[in-house]
């Protein structure tokens, strides 16, 4: 099992807004997990995976705003894998997801 450490951040300009009115989510292989602005940890098995990072306004249940995604493979030799997800400053920006 490998620990996926996902660092999720909006742009500095939009940080106060996002902290007050939105919440980030992480989806791995179609399974959605609540996340936090900052660091979120998720355990993943060895194999190929698809990661999506997005946000919702508080109270929404199905919206997927600013979706960024990336595919990655875990071979089981590493105890942790770091991921950064950065949301752009403009309204309508999507997350830029970088593995490693």
């Amino acid at each position: 099992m490998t620990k996926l450490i996902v660092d999720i951040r909006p742009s500095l300009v939009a940080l106060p807004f996002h902290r007050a009115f939105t919440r980030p989510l992480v989806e791995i292989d179609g399974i959605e997990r609540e996340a936090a602005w900052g660091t979120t940890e998720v355990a993943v098995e060895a194999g190929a995976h698809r990661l999506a990072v997005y946000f919702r306004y508080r109270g929404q249940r199905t919206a997927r705003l600013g979706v960024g995604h990336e595919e990655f493979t875990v071979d089981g030799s590493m105890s942790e894998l770091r991921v950064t997800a950065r949301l752009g400053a403009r309204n309508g920006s999507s997350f830029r997801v970088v593995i490693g």
Side-chain angles (χ1 to χ4, degrees):
M1 186 89 51
T2 298
K3 185 188 322 179
L4 194 64
I5 300 172
V6 187
D7 184 35
I8 307 169
R9 301 201 187 269
S11 71
L12 289 176
V13 171
L15 179 64
F17 173 83
H18 281 287
R19 286 214 169 145
F21 299 110
T22 68
R23 61 186 171 100
L25 295 107
V26 172
E27 182 181 287
I28 300 174
D29 301 329
I31 299 171
E32 183 179 275
R33 295 167 174 85
E34 288 193 22
W37 293 112
T39 303
T40 297
E41 296 181 6
V42 180
V44 293
E45 298 284 338
H49 300 281
R50 181 166 173 82
L51 168 71
V53 179
Y54 48 95
F55 72 92
R56 288 188 182 132
Y57 289 101
R58 296 186 186 274
Q60 288 183 327
R61 295 185 185 265
T62 60
R64 294 170 48 107
L65 305 170
V67 179
H69 50 82
E70 192 66 48
E71 294 182 4
F72 66 99
T73 302
V74 174
D75 64 10
S77 66
M78 298 175 8
S79 62
E80 66 181 41
L81 178 60
R82 295 195 173 270
V83 177
T84 58
R86 299 290 181 264
L87 185 60
R90 303 180 80 173
N91 191 16
S93 294
S94 59
F95 279 97
R96 180 172 175 260
V97 179
V98 177
I99 307 289

